[in-house]
Amino acid sequence: QVQLVESGGGLVQAGGSLRLSCAASGRTFGSYAMGWFRQAPGKEREFVAAISRSGDSTYYRHSVKGRFTISRDKDKNTVYLQMDSLKAEDTAVYYCAAQPSPKPASVWEHEYDYWGQGTQVTVSS
């Protein structure tokens, strides 16, 4: 089992940047593909980005590709989401999640077993 704690959210102006962090407990961090999802008010939670267990493969939703970068630090048991050129439509609660399956990192929520509590990102226009 793994526990996830997100941090780094906040209020930023459009065009600005934020870096979200997700610290994972446990010694098996390297066994999990990791993902970031977000949920805006009144909307369904949606996939944002994912990274493979090795860190060699990354995946992004189309609307954030080129602006967001997911990465992981195995020594720190942490996954990051660097968000640049933020837009008002990026406003949401952002969640990190861990996928224990040996399958490639997924864009589907149901593939992830462990979730953090979420961190609020607000982009003012």
Side-chain angles (χ1 to χ4, degrees):
Q1 191 166 354
V2 63
Q3 292 184 327
L4 305 172
V5 179
E6 301 100 332
S7 61
L11 173 64
V12 64
Q13 288 188 334
S17 298
L18 282 174
R19 188 176 80 157
L20 305 184
S21 299
C22 174
S25 65
R27 299 180 178 179
T28 58
F29 177 67
S31 301
Y32 300 97
M34 300 295 295
W36 285 97
F37 292 76
R38 67 187 181 188
Q39 187 168 22
K43 295 188 176 181
E44 298 283 322
R45 189 157 57 184
E46 64 184 18
F47 168 78
V48 176
I51 188 166
S52 63
R53 293 186 302 279
S54 67
D56 291 341
S57 299
T58 56
Y59 311 87
Y60 299 93
R61 72 179 296 106
H62 180 74
S63 63
V64 308
K65 200 172 294 185
R67 300 189 297 121
F68 290 12
T69 303
I70 188 171
S71 61
R72 65 191 299 163
D73 186 327
K74 294 180 179 179
D75 292 334
K76 295 182 178 180
N77 278 11
T78 300
V79 63
Y80 303 98
L81 185 68
Q82 177 67 41
M83 304 186 295
D84 299 318
S85 302
L86 282 160
K87 304 176 181 180
E89 51 263 43
D90 296 317
T91 294
V93 177
Y94 283 71
Y95 300 88
C96 73
Q99 176 191 337
S101 166
K103 293 187 293 184
S106 175
V107 304
W108 304 109
E109 279 189 57
H110 67 267
E111 300 276 8
Y112 291 82
D113 286 358
Y114 306 106
W115 292 80
Q117 82 288 352
T119 185
Q120 175 71 48
V121 171
T122 303
V123 184
S124 62
S125 56

